[in-house]
Amino acid sequence: MLIADLRTAVRDHLDDDATAWLDRALTEAATTPRWEADFAAAARHCRRSHHPELADATRILLLHTARPDMPTLTRLYAHGTAAERRAVLLALAHLEDVGPDALPLVEDALRTNDTRLVAAAVGPYAARHLDAHGWRQAVLKCLFTGVPLDVVADWPARARGDAELARILTDYARERTASGRDFPADLTRVLAHTTPEEP
Amino acid sequence: MYVAGVRALVEPSFWLGQPRTSPASFYDYFDALLGWEPFRAAQHGIAHHCTLALNPKEANDPRCLPVLDELPRYLVKDGVVAVGEIGYDAMTPAEDTALSAQLQLAADHGLPALVHTPHRDKAAGLARTLDVVHESALPTDRVLLDHLNETTVRAATDSGCWLGFSIYPDTKMDPDRMVRVLREYASERDRILVNSAADWGRSDPLKTRHVGEAMLAAGFTDDDVDQVLWRNPVAFYGLSGRLDLDVEDTTPQATHEGNSILRGAPVTTATRATEEGR
């Protein structure tokens, strides 16, 4: 989603007080370091509309406007609450200047068991920058923790013809079956894509 | 806890039973109170907030004091609804310094304060606590004095602070004594809070429910119970302006209504109706 569309969608959901707060915060984000306090306080200012993802979206807009350098981005993640960390991860796809240096943040999130962090970590940035092993483990983690496959960006393209991913998923399905448990339907969907296409 | 009726909780930072020896140990603890703990509580339908501080016991270890300098970056967080627990343990000069510094932090960050009163030499400890509170920038109606009992409740009532009682299996207060205090101090019932614990010692998080049951058995009304167990804590921690009693849905769903903003789906009439109905 384009940032301009995101901004419009957020404004659509905010009441007058929250809109005034957002306008002030975005103006300051472009010019002063004060925006970091707004980044932390976003949820209590945008809560009135009771939209669960509104604070995430607001924080993404702040990050996109402020364009923090890598040390700042890393500090915001490291010092952030789970909600702030989630926003940093979701913003990565919108921060054009960030190369592969933000991968440690994605890897940190993938080590957690907070499914909202795991889901935020497997967006377009991860699809572009995770190496083959890291990406396969991320898919497995999603299946393991119940994060739906459809939040994994570009999964059909990355899974295509991946024989090692097929082996990992088949082993996982076998382990689940051996213990008398189901495996997620999403597993079958990915597995189907790992089969090399017929010439 | 959810089955017992718990819908929201405030987890105060305190001593964990094993003394910490470095500030970083506190930062991991605070991060857990702002990260994993709210997620874990939300999975069970419980809204989680916390209070953060350098506790009085560990304020005596010079190795832990750098925490005071780092607290401001934590006190701006959305999930923090008070500074606490602060107060006295052994009434040392180091505790004096930490208490007054953190009352000032509360005032600076628009937060109320949760003040632990000492378990030993309690009456003198309360008097000394009130001296420091009165010297601070924080008004008494933004201070909760916790761990009160029959010997300290009168002085605490006269101070204008909120009155907190901790209900434990063997120590502090028990449900029947709490009911007697509630009856004797009926005129103060709009600023009395009771709390329970799941901490390093013998403790039972369902003691709050036991107080409600003891109140009803003693002839208090449902509304009295609602006031003491729900409205009063909501009012006190709501002074922060950060109390959010909606529980976030932790089930990741690719098609969740809430994802519409981030995924670009148009906001439909049906979505709006759902929001208004929340």
Side-chain angles (χ1 to χ4, degrees):
Chain A
M1 182 179 199
L2 293 173
I3 282 289
D5 299 334
L6 185 64
R7 195 178 293 122
T8 308
V10 167
R11 282 182 198 289
D12 243 22
H13 287 73
L14 294 179
D15 64 21
D16 291 347
D17 286 351
T19 304
W21 178 86
L22 179 65
D23 287 344
R24 203 251 325 126
L26 286 175
T27 306
E28 293 199 352
T31 51
T32 79
R34 204 197 107 79
W35 72 276
E36 288 190 26
D38 292 325
F39 181 75
R44 57 186 181 266
H45 291 285
C46 297
R47 185 174 68 215
R48 252 167 252 126
S49 55
H50 291 291
H51 200 301
E53 306 276 318
L54 207 51
D56 286 352
T58 301
R59 288 188 169 113
I60 293 168
L61 291 177
L62 285 169
L63 288 167
H64 181 261
T65 306
R67 303 200 167 276
D69 58 18
M70 203 53 229
T72 306
L73 203 59
T74 301
R75 175 169 48 76
L76 287 172
Y77 181 90
H79 287 183
T81 62
E84 291 166 50
R85 291 179 185 197
R86 194 166 67 226
V88 169
L89 295 165
L90 292 170
L92 290 176
H94 300 285
L95 299 173
E96 292 90 5
D97 307 337
V98 175
D101 291 352
L103 260 182
L105 309 186
V106 171
E107 289 160 352
D108 179 87
L110 289 171
R111 283 191 294 272
T112 72
N113 261 35
D114 182 333
T115 46
R116 295 173 303 181
L117 279 174
V118 172
V122 291
Y125 182 87
R128 196 177 317 132
H129 293 292
L130 272 180
D131 66 15
H133 179 75
W135 190 80
R136 290 173 192 133
Q137 289 296 320
V139 171
L140 184 61
K141 178 99 181 209
C142 287
L143 295 172
F144 197 82
T145 56
V147 172
L149 183 62
D150 288 333
V151 306
V152 180
D154 300 334
W155 69 264
R158 280 212 66 162
R160 191 166 301 129
D162 189 338
E164 176 63 3
L165 181 63
R167 182 199 63 76
I168 290 170
L169 297 181
T170 308
D171 281 359
Y172 178 49
R174 187 179 301 129
E175 187 187 337
R176 296 287 301 180
T177 307
S179 61
R181 299 187 174 111
D182 295 334
F183 54 83
D186 277 347
L187 187 148
T188 314
R189 289 174 67 208
V190 196
L191 201 52
H193 272 74
T194 58
T195 313
E197 286 173 53
E198 297 298 320
Chain B
M1 288 170 69
Y2 184 90
V3 169
V6 176
R7 293 295 178 271
L9 64 84
V10 174
E11 183 174 354
S13 61
F14 200 67
W15 192 60
L16 291 179
Q18 174 70 35
R20 280 163 283 217
T21 59
S22 78
S25 194
F26 280 87
Y27 308 148
D28 289 338
Y29 175 54
F30 295 161
D31 288 342
L33 290 174
L34 294 164
W36 180 249
E37 286 290 82
F39 178 75
R40 193 161 73 99
Q43 283 180 306
H44 299 282
I46 296 176
H48 179 287
H49 296 81
C50 66
T51 79
L52 298 184
L54 175 62
N55 65 73
K57 199 188 285 266
E58 291 175 296
N60 289 299
D61 187 335
R63 291 173 297 182
C64 299
L65 287 182
V67 170
L68 290 175
D69 299 324
E70 209 69 10
L71 269 172
R73 75 170 168 91
Y74 281 103
L75 297 182
V76 300
K77 303 299 188 189
D78 280 324
V80 180
V81 290
V83 170
E85 295 180 56
I86 53 177
Y88 285 114
D89 177 52
M91 287 187 274
T92 64
E95 292 171 25
D96 284 329
T97 307
L99 174 56
S100 53
Q102 293 183 99
L103 286 169
Q104 184 63 48
L105 282 176
D108 292 346
H109 289 84
L111 291 170
L114 170 59
V115 180
H116 160 106
T117 56
H119 306 310
R120 306 173 302 278
D121 201 5
K122 201 171 193 70
L126 177 67
R128 187 154 158 183
T129 301
L130 288 173
D131 286 345
V132 181
V133 167
H134 287 131
E135 284 166 16
S136 79
L138 203 64
T140 52
D141 62 2
R142 295 177 71 83
V143 173
L144 169 57
L145 298 169
D146 198 20
H147 316 321
L148 298 176
N149 62 24
E150 293 86 346
T151 67
T152 52
V153 58
R154 170 54 61 199
T157 302
D158 294 342
S159 74
C161 297
W162 294 72
L163 312 169
F165 296 85
S166 305
I167 319 299
Y168 275 70
D170 306 316
T171 57
K172 301 191 180 92
M173 291 292 285
D174 67 41
D176 292 329
R177 285 165 55 207
M178 191 63 229
V179 165
R180 286 196 289 275
V181 168
L182 282 164
R183 191 175 284 137
E184 188 172 344
Y185 290 84
S187 61
E188 313 301 329
R189 205 181 296 143
D190 60 352
R191 56 184 177 123
I192 291 178
L193 284 75
V194 299
N195 53 65
S196 58
D199 63 20
W200 55 270
R202 281 180 61 89
S203 49
D204 176 356
L206 299 187
K207 282 294 170 196
T208 43
R209 184 190 165 97
H210 298 165
V211 169
E213 288 165 346
M215 285 176 73
L216 293 175
F220 284 92
T221 66
D222 284 346
D223 189 70
D224 296 333
V225 173
D226 187 67
Q227 174 166 46
V228 172
L229 291 186
W230 182 259
R231 296 201 300 272
N232 289 351
V234 166
F236 175 74
Y237 292 109
L239 292 172
S240 66
R242 307 184 197 175
L243 199 68
D244 185 355
L245 297 169
D246 291 339
V247 182
E248 236 181 291
D249 182 4
T250 58
T251 317
Q253 291 170 358
T255 53
H256 189 281
E257 169 219 326
N259 280 345
S260 59
I261 285 189
L262 298 182
R263 296 186 184 281
V267 179
T268 63
T269 310
T271 310
R272 284 200 188 283
T274 311
E275 282 160 20
E276 280 153 18
R278 285 168 83 95

